[in-house]
Amino acid sequence: MNDNEKKKLLILGGNQYNVSGIQEARKADFFTIVADRNPQAPGLAEADIGLPIDLFDYEKLLKAIDGYGGVDGIISMAEAGVRPAAYLSKRLGLPSISQEAAANATSKAAMRHKWRKIGKYSVEYDVVNTEEQALQAINQLGRFPVIFKPDRSFGGARGVSLVDNKNQVHKAFLFAKSGALPNSNIVIERFVTGTEHSAEVLTWKGQSTVLCIGQKVKSPLPYRVDVSVQYPAQLAVQHEKVISDMCYEAIKALGLNQGIAHIEFVNTQNGPVLLELGARCGGGHTPQIAHHVSGVNEFIEACRMSCGIQPLQPKPTSKKGADYRFLIFPPGKIAGFSIPDRVQQHKNILDIGITLKTGDILKSLCTTSERAGYVVSIAGNRKEASEIADWTCKQVSITYDDGSISLPYNISNK
């Protein structure tokens, strides 16, 4: 776009992980207005205009937008902004998924209800609100293990855990409630054995295309946190076709007709099973990774679609390698950390960072909030990218207040 065509874009969310997306939007000639309730959010300073406003304070947001001459599109950077983006777009008459579709895509119970009609990609589940109901639901499901998760949360594996027996129900129920939004129910579903994956999917005018599929390494049970997402997933061509069909059915069932969807699923011996869907790009650096892997700049395409502009490149043109490796350290009080220059300057490291600061107390890994940092490695293929991430995990370290030093957990040592 040239200056005469520059579109005003309201970006909902401005945390550290959103900065690169905001920078990309500006490079692509969007005029960026970023809203985040945290006045210190780094994305506010990166935007053309920063609005320190809560995403759910709709009237204040609308007034601020109007003061700057309105916007042409609205995009959410994370789960928290999906419903506000749909609501504000409707109020302003902008292109968007419907409010009903946004509600479906932010409720794990609604997803399960809709997907049950598809049949073959679904799993047995129940929705409860008390511990007593949880025990009854488990009896109806018939066997352990099961997964407890909040119906509505802000993502990040908050409140998600596996339950092997009745003695674990109380702890899992309280954990699910602690990760849930106010008045949220709890979803209990049959645990599915297989390899977990995530797919980035572009939809325009009801037509969907899978851009790339990542393969996950998860945290030790009972929690379900991503430790690594590696691209491309090790899947046979015929399996990719089945997964593509499943993604299309999942998106259609929730009423999504445009934008990017981040779909998580398990590939089992009997085929793929849906876990959940986000009506937005995958979190953190996933859009940049998808760009490298697939050749499609999914975030910029999402920005274009939010303004009613047809995607420039809706289909993948490549299948390169990447590893989104999260830095996991033992618990303790942080006194400092080290990222050597040879790591920061490595040509195959897209980004690396420690999300802690001196004095922070790192807790045991239960949700994404306990991940201490990240490294994004890119290469021509998956193996090379993962080897670079493994090497990085041997270079980076954290120092604790007792003087001890730790390297991050390295999946290559499993």
Side-chain angles (χ1 to χ4, degrees):
M1 291 179 287
N2 59 42
D3 288 341
N4 292 329
E5 297 173 327
K6 185 173 284 193
K7 299 292 185 181
K8 286 185 179 177
L9 186 69
L10 175 63
I11 298 175
L12 301 180
N15 69 26
Q16 178 180 342
Y17 285 99
N18 303 149
V19 166
S20 57
I22 296 164
Q23 292 171 337
E24 277 203 50
R26 294 188 70 183
K27 287 178 183 176
D29 276 342
F30 287 95
F31 184 89
T32 58
I33 302 175
V34 174
D36 195 296
R37 69 177 180 179
N38 177 11
Q40 304 304 317
L44 298 181
E46 293 291 336
D48 292 291
I49 296 170
L51 302 177
I53 301 174
D54 191 294
L55 304 188
F56 292 89
D57 193 342
Y58 297 145
E59 298 308 319
K60 191 172 182 180
L61 272 172
L62 287 167
K63 184 177 179 180
I65 293 166
D66 185 61
Y68 289 108
V71 294
D72 300 292
I74 302 173
I75 189 165
S76 172
M77 300 296 278
E79 194 74 2
V82 172
R83 290 195 185 202
Y87 175 84
L88 293 168
S89 294
K90 182 174 177 59
R91 286 280 299 268
L92 296 171
L94 300 175
S96 172
I97 61 173
S98 69
Q99 288 181 263
E100 180 183 358
N104 289 336
T106 51
S107 164
K108 296 178 179 66
M111 292 178 209
R112 284 283 167 228
H113 294 331
K114 298 290 184 180
W115 290 340
R116 179 160 54 188
K117 297 175 183 178
I118 302 175
K120 56 186 174 181
Y121 307 120
S122 191
V123 66
E124 294 179 65
Y125 72 98
D126 205 344
V127 182
V128 305
N129 195 39
T130 67
E131 193 172 331
E132 181 181 1
Q133 291 174 353
L135 289 167
Q136 293 171 354
I138 291 169
N139 287 333
Q140 291 176 351
L141 290 174
R143 61 177 171 81
F144 290 100
V146 295
I147 292 286
F148 278 47
K149 59 177 63 172
D151 171 29
R152 293 196 61 215
S153 73
F154 283 153
R158 292 176 178 85
V160 182
S161 67
L162 180 138
V163 175
D164 266 325
N165 57 66
K166 289 186 177 181
N167 294 332
Q168 298 171 356
V169 168
H170 178 68
K171 181 179 179 181
F173 184 82
L174 292 180
F175 183 60
K177 280 291 188 181
S178 72
L181 294 177
N183 303 315
S184 171
N185 290 323
I186 305 302
V187 177
I188 301 174
E189 57 190 40
R190 179 79 49 82
F191 178 68
V192 181
T193 302
T195 305
E196 291 198 25
H197 299 270
S198 59
E200 301 301 298
V201 186
L202 184 151
T203 300
W204 175 250
K205 294 187 176 179
Q207 298 299 310
S208 298
T209 305
V210 175
L211 303 179
C212 59
I213 301 172
Q215 185 165 316
K216 299 190 175 195
V217 177
K218 305 295 286 189
S219 62
L221 295 170
Y223 304 110
R224 309 301 295 145
V225 184
D226 290 350
V227 175
S228 174
V229 189
Q230 301 168 356
Y231 299 81
Q234 294 177 309
L235 294 166
V237 173
Q238 62 269 30
H239 292 158
E240 290 184 355
K241 174 63 169 65
V242 174
I243 289 164
S244 180
D245 292 343
M246 175 193 70
C247 290
Y248 174 76
E249 293 291 339
I251 287 168
K252 183 180 177 182
L254 299 189
L256 304 174
N257 61 347
Q258 75 166 52
I260 302 294
H262 176 78
I263 302 178
E264 301 192 348
F265 64 95
V266 179
N267 200 33
T268 76
Q269 291 182 338
N270 299 317
V273 174
L274 289 161
L275 293 180
E276 54 192 70
L277 176 152
R280 37 133 183 113
C281 295
H285 295 78
T286 304
Q288 295 97 293
I289 293 170
H291 190 188
H292 168 77
V293 173
S294 71
V296 178
N297 192 333
E298 69 165 9
F299 178 67
I300 296 303
E301 297 296 11
C303 294
R304 290 175 62 86
M305 288 186 282
S306 75
C307 296
I309 306 171
Q310 182 174 344
L312 281 174
Q313 179 58 57
K315 295 184 179 181
T317 59
S318 62
K319 203 172 187 179
K320 296 179 182 177
D323 192 332
Y324 199 178
R325 187 73 60 89
F326 297 98
L327 303 179
I328 313 297
F329 293 89
K333 187 174 183 179
I334 307 304
F337 60 87
S338 172
I339 304 177
D341 289 343
R342 62 181 175 274
V343 173
Q344 298 194 56
Q345 296 169 6
H346 196 291
K347 65 183 179 67
N348 290 92
I349 293 180
L350 186 66
D351 196 9
I352 183 168
I354 298 290
T355 53
L356 301 171
K357 60 182 183 297
T358 300
D360 283 350
I361 297 176
L362 183 59
K363 299 179 181 179
S364 298
L365 184 64
C366 301
T367 72
T368 58
S369 296
E370 291 81 46
R371 298 189 303 208
Y374 55 84
V375 56
V376 182
S377 59
I378 56 174
N381 59 61
R382 168 195 165 118
K383 182 175 182 293
E384 290 175 3
S386 293
E387 287 174 349
I388 294 164
D390 289 343
W391 171 81
T392 304
C393 287
K394 297 173 184 176
Q395 316 301 315
V396 178
S397 64
I398 276 184
T399 303
Y400 296 89
D401 63 343
D402 63 1
S404 62
I405 299 175
S406 176
L407 299 177
Y409 170 75
N410 196 335
I411 62 173
S412 67
N413 296 332
K414 284 184 66 179

